[in-house]
Each structure stands twice: as structure tokens, then as C-alpha cells.
Amino acid sequence: EAAVTQSPRNKVAVTGGKVTLSCNQTNNHNNMYWYRQDTGHGLRLIHYSYGAGSTEKGDIPDGYKASRPSQENFSLILELATPSQTSVYFCASGGPRDKTNSDYTFGSGTRLLVI
Amino acid sequence: GMPVEQNPPALSLYEGAESGLRCNFSTTMKGVQWFQQNHRGRLITLFYLAQGTKENGRLKSTFNSKERYSTLHIKDAQLEDSGTYFCAGRIFFGDGTQLVVKP
């Protein structure tokens, strides 16, 4: 039973289009994260959140927005998708704010291709 | 420099062998996590350490916050250990160590 569920699993988008990646967690974790993974770069943090209504910029936020409407849901939004945003995106949830890297749980990833 | 540096970037072991991976941090971290990414791309949490040493089966990890490093030791390597191993301090990930275990 997956505690962090991402949708869609795969997505093909056209350049200039809007893309929304969704993430739902059932861990009741305060913190949620969006990373992208590209060959040779490991995981890079795009946006994260400390709780409902909160969004924070990570290392590479340009071209992305995030939304945390509830404890369970955290979305990543590409308003104007570009081919450079072709990547694998991972969502994660984690424990309280003072333990920002404790108890991480990852989703299965979303493969996004922008053509 | 990068907040988290991992070494080596790649490692090849024969079944039954053992080796260690290392993670160096440019700043003080309150804790470290180690993950394995399997051939399906799934990220699996191996350890979280705030300090000291943890062991789980053939894996052992240590974290020295003062000296800013962490290690992951794999003994009696098995084929299913193949994958990419990442360490993370706070919200920052290293670039990973690609481990291949050969029969």
C-alpha cells in the first residue's frame, strides 16, 4: 500500500502547455517535497512545503509553481512547459519541520516528456 | 561547493564482497538519510541517522556530524544490491553511487 502516490505515472506534454503533477500522501507528514532527477544530477529540489497553505522554493524553482491545498496533497505546476523540463519527478513526504530529512517516503515518480 | 558530495560515483563488486560508500557535507547536518534506487527507479529509504551507527542486515551506516561525513558499508554483496545509492542531508541529495554487483 503506497503511502505517497503520484499521478500521472507518465505524461507527454507539448511545449507551452500547462502541466500539473499531483502527489497525495497518507503518512500525515507535515513536509512534502518535489524533486526532479536527471542523469548525472541525482535529485534536485524544486519546491517544498511545511504544511497546508505553505510553499517554499528549493534549489531550482524557476519555471515551476507549487500548491499545497491540504495536508495530503501537494501539486507541481508547469505553467508553460519547455523541453528542458523533460525529466523524472519525485514527490516525497517527511516528518516535522525540525527534522526535515527524517522519515522520508518517496512516490514512484512521474516521467514527463515535453515535446 | 555542493552541500553533499558522494564517493565513489560508481562501484563494481563481485557477489560476497564488501565495500563502503562515503558522503561528505559542506555544512553541519542534523541528520543523514541513505536511499537505494532500484532498477525500476523506486527510491527506498535505508537509514536515517541523527548520530552514531545503525545496522540492518548486511548494511551498516555511520554518521559523524562534527566531522561532516557519513558512510554506508555493504557486506556480502548480493546481486539485488545493485542500484544507485543516495545520501541526503536536510533537503540536499548527493549525486549518488552506482553500484553493480556481478556474479
Side-chain angles (χ1 to χ4, degrees):
Chain A
E1 180 180 337
V4 178
T5 305
Q6 291 182 232
S7 63
R9 291 295 302 274
N10 297 282
K11 172 77 178 177
V12 179
V14 295
T15 299
K18 182 176 180 178
V19 177
T20 300
L21 307 184
S22 301
C23 181
N24 175 275
Q25 57 111 349
T26 58
N27 298 318
N28 198 31
H29 283 153
N30 290 344
N31 301 338
M32 294 186 75
Y33 309 85
W34 276 106
Y35 289 89
R36 63 179 282 178
Q37 185 177 30
D38 303 292
T39 304
H41 284 282
L43 282 88
R44 291 183 290 173
L45 183 65
I46 306 170
H47 284 287
Y48 60 105
S49 167
Y50 291 125
S54 136
T55 61
E56 308 289 337
K57 292 181 179 180
D59 294 334
I60 52 164
D62 293 345
Y64 301 93
K65 291 184 181 178
S67 173
R68 183 87 181 271
S70 65
Q71 178 84 338
E72 297 79 19
N73 295 295
F74 190 38
S75 298
L76 186 69
I77 303 149
L78 292 67
E79 294 279 3
L80 295 168
T82 68
S84 65
Q85 293 175 312
T86 293
S87 188
V88 180
Y89 291 84
F90 285 96
C91 174
S93 73
R97 183 170 183 158
D98 59 349
K99 295 180 180 179
T100 54
N101 68 340
S102 70
D103 201 18
Y104 255 106
T105 305
F106 278 91
S108 300
T110 295
R111 281 164 177 73
L112 174 65
L113 172 64
V114 183
I115 56 176
Chain B
M2 297 293 290
V4 183
E5 288 190 353
Q6 277 189 252
N7 289 293
L11 180 63
S12 181
L13 294 175
Y14 284 104
E15 273 186 298
E18 61 181 276
S19 189
L21 314 178
R22 186 175 174 107
C23 211
N24 292 317
F25 305 106
S26 60
T27 62
T28 301
M29 300 291 183
K30 289 184 179 179
V32 64
Q33 268 191 301
W34 284 92
F35 303 88
Q36 181 200 25
Q37 188 168 37
N38 63 20
H39 67 280
R40 292 194 182 92
R42 185 86 191 191
L43 283 155
I44 302 160
T45 302
L46 299 175
F47 294 105
Y48 170 73
L49 298 95
Q51 61 180 10
T53 299
K54 282 189 179 178
E55 221 167 325
N56 184 4
R58 297 178 291 101
L59 301 179
K60 183 167 93 172
S61 182
T62 61
F63 175 49
N64 187 320
S65 176
K66 186 177 178 183
E67 300 296 324
R68 300 181 184 173
Y69 75 89
S70 177
T71 63
L72 177 68
H73 192 83
I74 302 171
K75 64 180 180 182
D76 187 24
Q78 302 296 305
L79 296 177
E80 61 263 28
D81 294 334
S82 295
T84 304
Y85 290 78
F86 293 98
C87 64
R90 285 192 282 133
I91 56 179
F92 303 106
F93 278 70
D95 285 341
T97 294
Q98 282 192 307
L99 172 65
V100 174
V101 179
K102 301 176 182 177

